[in-house]
Amino acid sequence: MPLTVKDVERFEASRPRLEAIAYRLLGSASEAEDAVQETFLRWQSADVGRVEVPEAWLTKVLTNLCLNQLASARARRETYVGQWLPEPLLEGDPMLGPADTAEQRESVSYAVLALMERLSPHERAVYVLREAFDYPHREIAGILGVTEAASQQLLHRARKHIADGRARTEVDEAAARRIVEEFLAAAAGGRTEPLVRLLTADAVSVGDGGGKVPARPGPVEGALAIAKFMRILFKPARSKRALVGGSPELHITTANGGPAVLAAVDGRVVGVMCLEVTAEGIAAIRSQANPDKLGRATGVWAATEHGEPLFHAF
């Protein structure tokens, strides 16, 4: 039986929540959109008149589609060129979903999305559904086909993995922005010593070029090594400008709820550098430069007011 207008409206009312769940589970906006569209196709072919709780039905279908996707994604990432990082979402993107609680904000932070790659698919699903969307373990157990006790244990393990990777306390938004401004000024000015002072001794820098643009094949570790790398990265060169189509404008913005440096050429986002700023300094720099993962950011960037750039890179 074809869907009625009411059936379609019921699905569309759930779409923002489904997209926010899928993005947290997959770390990719495009894959999240595909998973939600596939959920709609399942809804379209189901006997929806017999579905007692549409929200629960849709969440279960979507989650299991994402679990299947995660299983295949692990195999694909083993052959991924260079380091794999999530797709960043800029402030104002509806796919970021709810941000009313600290748990909801943390679950979509770029640092936690990167850390969630360490989790098993079921650990990741429980963490997202419980922490970000406050599903009770009874419902999560039904979605995943496990017992409530197993759901609780999965959450315990997921929380431990996340906590082990985030041992420091982050600073408030205003302080973080000041530190990022200092970082950007030092990097653009080619000054190594100020950069070293802004970084923690055990800081790490990771870049994702996806084989489309040059990126280090592995992480850069340690304050001095990162400072030297940033000095080279920001050094002007005609070859760099040719690669991205001009001299990128650098803006300080917010991505996934945290401070970020955005590089744009003629309104096209060519890079998003997410910084994990802690009370001890900048602990991690995660840079997304794969053009396949910047299309959505470009759309959001074009639709928002962002003022004049702070600097021009190379």
Side-chain angles (χ1 to χ4, degrees), residues 23-141:
Y23 171 70
R24 284 166 166 82
L25 287 175
L26 300 173
S28 164
S30 59
E31 290 180 5
E33 290 173 340
D34 290 344
V36 172
Q37 185 59 27
E38 179 61 29
T39 302
F40 175 73
L41 295 177
R42 302 287 179 94
W43 176 251
Q44 196 173 38
S45 61
D47 185 357
V48 298
R50 298 174 64 88
V51 176
E52 295 182 4
V53 186
E55 179 182 286
W57 189 95
L58 292 169
T59 303
K60 182 172 184 176
V61 170
L62 174 80
T63 300
N64 282 284
L65 285 170
C66 289
L67 287 175
N68 292 337
Q69 180 78 355
L70 283 171
S72 61
R74 284 175 177 266
R76 291 199 310 274
R77 286 169 195 171
E78 289 179 1
T79 59
Y80 191 82
V81 179
Q83 301 289 303
W84 186 94
L85 286 173
E87 181 175 349
L89 297 183
L90 302 184
E91 184 176 21
D93 193 317
M95 195 176 280
L96 289 168
D100 299 325
T101 68
E103 291 80 9
Q104 289 172 339
R105 291 188 293 272
E106 182 171 79
S107 71
V108 80
S109 72
Y110 206 66
V112 167
L113 284 177
L115 287 170
M116 279 201 280
E117 289 297 302
R118 304 178 182 181
L119 306 182
S120 72
H122 275 68
E123 287 171 348
R124 187 164 183 161
V126 173
Y127 183 84
V128 167
L129 292 173
R130 180 66 185 153
E131 297 292 271
F133 296 91
D134 201 29
Y135 278 82
H137 282 290
R138 176 179 54 79
E139 290 188 32
I140 296 173

